[in-house]
């Protein structure tokens, strides 16, 4: 994530939702005849005020760490 993306998010006075999407790789394999479950994991919500207080580079790094940690935990559990 680049800090520039975080800057764009901060301009709007709304919370930033950190989320990941799982199981999208199976959609193309099963489409169009079989339904596929896709999961959206909401990891954290950063308030608009909190996001404005932090430097954008720090917020970008924080978001990256949260998502990376979640991904690593998900991969470890699925094995």
């Amino acid at each position: 994530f680049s800090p520039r993306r975080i800057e764009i998010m901060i301009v709007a006075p709304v919370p930033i939702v950190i989320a990941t999407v799982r199981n999208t790789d199976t959609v193309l394999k099963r489409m169009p005849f079989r339904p596929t479950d896709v999961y959206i994991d909401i990891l954290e919500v950063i308030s608009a005020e909190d996001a404005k207080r932090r430097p954008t580079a720090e917020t970008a790094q924080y978001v990256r760490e949260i998502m990376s940690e979640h991904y690593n935990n998900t991969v470890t559990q699925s094995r």
Side-chain angles (χ1 to χ4, degrees):
F1 289 87
S2 71
R4 180 69 183 140
R5 290 182 185 163
I6 300 296
E7 284 178 17
I8 293 169
M9 292 178 203
I10 291 173
V11 171
V14 295
I16 297 172
V17 178
I18 304 172
T20 59
V21 181
R22 290 185 289 129
N23 209 31
T24 57
D25 56 327
T26 59
V27 171
L28 287 177
K29 296 175 193 173
R30 299 173 60 98
M31 191 173 73
F33 303 110
R34 297 186 311 190
T36 305
D37 293 331
V38 174
Y39 305 98
I40 300 174
D41 299 319
I42 306 299
L43 307 179
E44 190 170 328
V45 177
I46 301 173
S47 69
E49 297 81 25
D50 214 19
K52 285 184 181 182
R53 276 188 246 131
R54 293 184 189 185
T56 54
E58 181 182 320
T59 303
Q61 181 63 31
Y62 179 72
V63 169
R64 182 189 312 257
E65 288 171 3
I66 293 290
M67 293 177 78
S68 178
E69 182 179 315
H70 177 71
Y71 175 77
N72 291 336
N73 289 340
T74 303
V75 169
T76 304
Q77 289 175 357
S78 66
R79 289 185 181 173

